[in-house]
Amino acid sequence: MSDIEQPAGELWGREGFREDPYVTAETLEEAGDAPAVILPLGVWLGLTEEIRNASNRKIGVVVAPGESVEPLLPLLDSIPVIALEFPAFSDGRSYSKAELIKNQHHFKGELRAVGDVLIDQVAYMLRTGFDTMKVNHAVTLNRLAGHNLHDVPGYYQPGRGSHTVPGTYSWRRVPGA
Amino acid sequence: MSVKVLTANRLADGEVVWLGANGEWLEHIDGALIARHAEAVNALEEAGKSAIKSNLVIDVNVIDVEERGTDLFPVRLRERIRQLGPTIRLDLGKQAEKSKAA
Amino acid sequence: MYRYDEFDHAFVSARVEQFKDQVERRLAGELTEEQFRPLRLMNGVYLQLHAYMLRVAVPYGTLSSRQMHKLAHIARRYDRGYGHFTTRQNIQYNWPALKDIPAVLDELASVEMHALQTSGNCIRNVTADHFAGAAADEVGDPRPYAEILRQWSSMHPEFSYLPRKFKIAVTGADRDRAAIQVHDIGLHLKKNESGELGFGVYVGGGQGRTPMVAKKVRDFLPVEDLLTYTTAIVRVYNLNGRRDNKYKARIKILVHETGTEEITRQIETEWQAIKETDLKLPQQDVDAIDAYFAPPNLVQRPEGWSELAAARKADPAFSAWVDQNVTPHKNPDYGVVTISLKPIGGIPGDATDAQMDLVADIAEKFSYDEIRVSHEQNLVLPHVAIADLRIVYDLLLTDGLATANAGLITDIISCPGLDYCALATARSIPVAQRISERFGNPERQADIGELKLKISGCINACGHHHVGHIGILGVEKKGEELYQISLGGSGDEICTIGDITGRGFSSEEIVDAIETIVDRYLEIRTDKEETFLATYRRVGAAPFKDALYSEVANAA
Ligand code: HEM
Ligand code: SF4
């Protein structure tokens, strides 16, 4: 587990920064009576179905790059948030996991990127299916605050948050939902 | 006996430079600040770190050189090539400027 | 050839603007080197020994005259009057100042070129057969598919932070001139029984410190599945490739450790899930890209053959050049001309600004405006009328570009080595130069026949030494340069990794050692038709080792 505890208010999404309703904890007990909590994958998988689906609190899961998301795939409907970790910006495994979770398996909840995110990666994350990010990189935070996503005017791949333009090649897209 | 000097590439244009005894980054090894004992080497390393911080140079390294009379002669071939230029293009690099000046 | 549309132009200029901003912030001290390094690498900017180096992509090795003139201009204005053509069909500039690089990128963008994805752990510049669209033995032109892959891999959101760099090569003929089996993905364009085009798919080849020949994972992949299948391969790699050790991070290690059968199963499973998605290629899109690569309208020039016969008779040097450097074209009135960038004793792959301009002018007049860069570090004029060979030869001769050695022992591939490269352990260019001089006599090299000699200045193997018929690897031992020899490598359709002969040779010994090997070959070949590689495959390493380690030892 990497340290993803940050002051509230640093969760970023397309609409800007907002307060993070979730606390991160190693176990459910540690979370006390927090109404929304994110647990490590192993712990989350060990919960009973009853606890996971309890209506009085939301229990999300955080997945490290080396962990497989396979066991989550049949359970996606019961997960409010999946956080994929980026302990180092150069570790790109979580992009493929985002593709699997969001686009191949149609996860409806919040997909979150946490960790070392470079500003140039934010656009990639949005396109592979991330909804939010919790970033510890100061430059990135500054640029996000300035709404500068370092994006390009067109993409050569299908992906979320983009649409086709008639009359061009099937793999091309332009930004905008 | 080999002694040490500090070398780097200049940020703006990549030019090979050595830290001079005068504290400036020099384009030629002559006049480089020479470290003859461990403490002086530490000082070179510290100077390197602060040079990186001040964004003047990159790829800073302490290297071994031999003193031959008044000349400084880098021990490794790699460093001799950095000092002079490509061995296969004597018209390029510092060796060319030197011969032009001569 | 492919022309940018508005979409491409907007994309590339946005990237140039971004990089300009980044360079300015770096020079102003707002970005540290640590933050800036990945950004500059994404734009093809390295730091070498003497200066920065800019690596410019030449997608699948195809250039127009206008583009070549621009490369010449950049060499003249921002560099030291030359550039280095590489085995990756790129060009590298060895002396640009960081502060000038945004301007260079602007210049490149004005002729539809860039330096994107020439570095970093992303899908790199896609390479292809340098005779594409011209060679007589071609099944189909590989470049439209390389172009589709180039577009699809540009700033790929999922695949820009792979475990390691990723190289794709495409060939359009059974004769593999693109070395596809030493690439991460190799695609062999071919026809099935019903005459449809598709690909044989190879995965997990590579050189570097652990050379491996790629494994075939699919015998025939329909064209419409090109992007879905490639996505499946790269996704399996991205998720499972090793990230704990840089030297084990290439897909070749994953394939090796997982086993071909299992990796194929994983790829197929992933593919089944995405086969029918947006990435399935509509035929109309393939056709539209294909149209850019329509062969030029070649004028009939049947008079060429009789003129050629006369010209050959009159000038044996010209005749030797035709034999060695002209390859059959699809159209019998035409030939494919290899311009050797390996003058005897010269620096392999280097071309001056004047030479680039000259080649651009010749291509404009005599090769339908097309030039290719080959992975053998030569240039190619793909469509030259037989009737124009003489004049083209004469023009090339004016600036030292008519060396008749394509495919011969002096047509050496050499990486920059310790003369430029920050990772090098030994020099490679001077060794290439001395070997070239030793064997430079035209009769002697012609007698030796086809022999691919390749040199790298460190274990990274940029000079392809593992697949050289004779490979040389420069290492550093006790502060001295030492050269290891390997024999019997080959990067074509029968791909093999060379075998190391034994202890290495000093810089003084290495040229003699190569001569010893060549002399032994000449002694034991069955006849002149048996090439060095064929002889090696027949007799193995023993006769060569004998020669090397007895004679050289005795002489010493
Ligand atoms: C001077 C700057 C260069 C640097 C820093 C560099 C770096 C590297 C490294 C680290 C590898 C090993 C990759 C691995 O095994 O995972 C490699 C491989 C390779 N490089 Fe370079 N290289 C440079 C220049 C070149 C040049 C000039 C060429 C072409 C002549 C080239 C073409 C290749 C090829 C063909 C390979 C082997 C194929 C493979 O990726 O397995 N590189 N390079
Ligand atoms: S093989 Fe080594 S020395 Fe040669 S270019 Fe590659 S990294 Fe540099």
Side-chain angles (χ1 to χ4, degrees), chain B residues 6 8-9 11 25 44-60, chain C residues 25-35:
Chain B
L6 191 68
N9 291 75
L11 171 68
W25 288 96
L44 278 188
E45 274 163 3
E46 286 308 313
K49 278 183 204 149
S50 70
I52 291 176
K53 278 213 193 86
S54 54
N55 295 307
L56 291 174
V57 293
I58 58 176
D59 204 19
V60 182
Chain C
R25 284 192 284 144
R26 175 70 185 113
L27 291 172
E30 289 172 34
L31 289 176
T32 64
E33 185 60 16
E34 202 185 352
Q35 291 164 334

Side-chain angles (χ1 to χ4, degrees), chain C residues 111-405:
Chain C
V111 294
E112 309 182 2
M113 295 182 77
H114 59 65
L116 297 171
Q117 292 181 214
T118 57
S119 174
N121 295 335
C122 56
I123 300 173
R124 301 286 190 90
N125 181 32
V126 178
T127 52
D129 183 349
H130 45 268
F131 290 167
D137 62 355
E138 179 170 284
V139 174
D141 191 335
R143 291 173 301 161
Y145 309 101
E147 172 59 24
I148 290 171
L149 287 165
R150 182 192 72 81
Q151 295 197 14
W152 161 82
S153 63
S154 292
M155 270 190 84
H156 196 293
E158 184 183 348
F159 301 141
S160 290
Y161 294 90
L162 296 170
R164 199 80 179 85
K165 56 172 101 166
F166 201 89
K167 300 177 179 175
I168 305 178
V170 197
T171 182
D174 291 340
R175 179 78 214 276
D176 177 7
R177 285 174 289 257
I180 66 166
Q181 292 182 51
V182 285
H183 283 76
D184 296 284
I185 295 181
L187 297 169
H188 172 201
L189 185 64
K190 57 175 165 176
K191 285 193 170 141
N192 66 6
E193 281 134 27
S194 25
E196 295 150 341
L197 281 174
F199 304 95
V201 183
Y202 296 79
V203 172
Q207 303 196 50
R209 71 181 59 213
T210 327
M212 289 193 187
V213 176
K215 309 295 183 296
K216 196 190 227 180
V217 291
R218 203 154 228 281
D219 191 55
F220 189 83
L221 179 78
V223 162
E224 61 181 14
D225 299 318
L226 176 64
L227 294 184
T228 52
Y229 202 81
T230 310
T231 299
I233 295 171
V234 187
R235 185 169 294 156
V236 166
Y237 169 56
N238 190 36
L239 284 169
N240 304 313
R242 288 182 61 171
R243 291 175 186 264
D244 57 329
N245 180 341
K246 181 174 159 186
Y247 301 120
K248 299 201 165 158
R250 296 289 289 268
I251 195 175
K252 63 190 171 190
I253 304 292
L254 179 68
V255 171
H256 180 73
E257 289 181 351
T258 313
T260 310
E261 221 171 282
E262 172 59 16
I263 200 94
T264 308
R265 190 196 63 75
Q266 292 177 8
I267 293 166
E268 294 280 327
T269 306
E270 182 56 32
W271 184 48
Q272 289 307 325
I274 59 172
K275 203 168 168 235
E276 301 301 328
T277 56
D278 287 353
L279 282 176
K280 185 165 179 172
L281 287 174
Q283 189 57 41
Q284 70 195 57
D285 284 356
V286 177
D287 292 344
I289 297 282
D290 217 25
Y292 282 112
F293 297 92
N297 231 332
L298 300 179
V299 183
Q300 285 193 11
R301 302 283 299 278
E303 76 280 11
W305 288 97
S306 57
E307 288 174 14
L308 178 67
R312 273 176 166 244
K313 231 184 235 154
D315 183 353
F318 170 66
S319 187
W321 178 80
V322 173
D323 285 338
Q324 215 50 57
N325 292 34
V326 182
T327 316
H329 193 281
K330 282 179 186 170
N331 182 322
D333 293 351
Y334 286 77
V336 182
V337 168
T338 297
I339 301 173
S340 170
L341 295 181
K342 321 289 174 62
I344 302 308
I347 298 175
D350 275 10
T352 64
D353 57 332
Q355 287 178 322
M356 290 187 236
D357 277 333
L358 176 64
V359 170
D361 286 337
I362 297 175
E364 194 177 347
K365 286 205 195 80
F366 301 105
S367 181
Y368 292 80
D369 209 32
E370 260 194 56
I371 303 151
R372 306 287 170 73
V373 182
S374 80
H375 81 267
E376 294 175 326
Q377 299 182 286
N378 290 318
L379 299 176
V380 172
L381 299 171
H383 314 290
V384 179
I386 300 294
D388 294 331
L389 284 176
R390 177 73 221 194
I391 181 161
V392 167
Y393 172 79
D394 287 339
L395 287 167
L396 291 172
L397 211 49
T398 61
D399 204 359
L401 290 170
T403 314
N405 62 351

Side-chain angles (χ1 to χ4, degrees), chain A residues 96 150 156-157 170 172-173, chain C residues 5 8 152 154 158 285:
Chain A
S96 284
H150 272 227
Y156 291 95
Q157 311 81 15
S170 60
R172 290 186 178 179
R173 296 292 184 276
Chain C
D5 53 23
D8 301 302
W152 161 82
S154 292
E158 184 183 348
D285 284 356

Side-chain angles (χ1 to χ4, degrees), chain C residues 46-48 53 55 84-88 92 164-165 167 182-184 205-210 246-247 250 252 377 413-416 420-423 459-464:
Chain C
Y46 287 75
L47 181 70
Q48 302 224 77
M53 180 268 275
R55 184 181 282 170
H84 178 74
F85 289 96
T86 81
T87 52
R88 297 270 312 139
Q92 295 184 174
R164 199 80 179 85
K165 56 172 101 166
K167 300 177 179 175
V182 285
H183 283 76
D184 296 284
Q207 303 196 50
R209 71 181 59 213
T210 327
K246 181 174 159 186
Y247 301 120
R250 296 289 289 268
K252 63 190 171 190
Q377 299 182 286
I413 291 183
S414 167
C415 79
Y420 293 99
C421 177
L423 303 177
I459 191 70
N460 287 325
C462 303
H464 286 196

